[in-house]
Amino acid sequence: MNIKYLLTGLLFSIVTTLTAQTNSQQAREIFNHTYQMVFGTQGCQLHYDVDILRLYHTNGTIWMKGKKQRFFETRYRSWSDGKDYYLIDTKKNTLDIFKADDPNKDKYASKFKFKPDDYNYACEETADGYVISLKPKPGIKGFKEARAVIDKQTRAPKSVRIKVAFLWARINISNFKSGGISDAIFNFPATKYKDYSTTDHR
C-alpha cells in the first residue's frame, strides 16, 4: 500500500513538473514573439497611456527601430538617431542634447535594464488575451513583477502592468504597428526649435 501511495505521489509530481515546464515554455515563446515585434530591427510604433494609481498619468506615441527612438507627448518629445538624443520641454522652451548612450538622458529608464533571461515566465489564457507573467530570478534587481496582455490573434501587446516596490503601474497600448518605420522620423527637426534654450551635455 505504501508503494502504491509513493508511486502515485511520484507520478503526480512528474505531471505537475512537466505541466509547469510546458506552461513556462509556452509563455516564453509567446513573449519572445511579441518582444521581437516591438524591439526587432523592423521597428515599431505604438500609442501608450500610463497610469500609476491615478497619481501620475501621461500618454503619447513612441517609435523605435534598433538604437533609434522617438516619442511625442503633450509637454515632452524626443528624437534619437542612434548617435545623439534630443529632448524638448515645450513648457520651459528648452532643448537638452545628450549622446544616445548617455544613461543620464533619462534618470528613470536608466535604472531599469531589462534582460529577458533574468525572469521566470508563466502563461494564462483569458478572454482579453494571453496574460504573460514575469517574475525576476533570485538576485535580479528591478521591477518585482510584470504582467503583459498579448492579443491571441495578432500577438500584439495590449497592456503591461509593472510592480515597482509596492506600486503597480499600468500601461495601455493601442495603435500598434510593427515594421514599415522610416528612418527619417528619427531625425531631429532643428530649425523648428532654433529659438529654444539649448544645453549640450555631449
Side-chain angles (χ1 to χ4, degrees), residues 1-160:
M1 187 65 72
N2 290 336
I3 295 178
K4 178 180 178 182
Y5 287 140
L6 178 61
L7 291 176
T8 301
L10 181 61
L11 179 61
F12 178 78
S13 177
I14 292 173
V15 171
T16 301
T17 300
L18 290 175
T19 301
Q21 290 176 343
T22 301
N23 181 275
S24 179
Q25 290 171 354
Q26 180 190 23
R28 186 63 191 269
E29 289 172 1
I30 295 171
F31 178 85
N32 285 349
H33 184 90
T34 303
Y35 189 82
Q36 176 61 30
M37 290 174 67
V38 176
F39 296 104
T41 56
Q42 77 284 346
C44 81
Q45 171 188 333
L46 61 87
H47 179 81
Y48 58 88
D49 195 305
V50 180
D51 180 76
I52 304 177
L53 296 178
R54 298 185 180 179
L55 299 175
Y56 174 79
H57 179 264
T58 188
N59 64 80
T61 300
I62 188 169
W63 297 259
M64 296 179 285
K65 188 176 184 181
K67 294 183 177 180
K68 300 178 181 181
Q69 189 180 101
R70 175 185 173 186
F71 79 80
F72 183 96
E73 295 183 359
T74 302
R75 175 174 175 176
Y76 298 102
R77 52 206 63 177
S78 77
W79 290 258
S80 178
D81 56 10
K83 179 182 177 182
D84 297 309
Y85 176 88
Y86 303 85
L87 177 63
I88 289 290
D89 184 332
T90 60
K91 184 176 181 179
K92 294 182 177 180
N93 288 347
T94 59
L95 163 62
D96 287 279
I97 308 174
F98 300 85
K99 286 289 187 182
D101 58 358
D102 188 341
N104 295 315
K105 72 180 186 293
D106 189 324
K107 62 181 180 180
Y108 297 110
S110 62
K111 294 181 180 180
F112 300 98
K113 300 297 183 181
F114 178 78
K115 296 180 180 179
D117 290 338
D118 288 345
Y119 297 85
N120 293 315
Y121 296 77
C123 177
E124 179 185 359
E125 191 171 350
T126 71
D128 292 330
Y130 294 113
V131 179
I132 308 298
S133 297
L134 290 77
K135 292 187 177 181
K137 295 178 180 177
I140 300 300
K141 297 181 179 180
F143 59 78
K144 302 295 183 181
E145 185 179 351
R147 297 174 187 168
V149 179
I150 296 173
D151 188 276
K152 294 179 184 178
Q153 301 299 321
T154 66
R155 298 298 175 90
K158 297 175 67 176
S159 69
V160 180

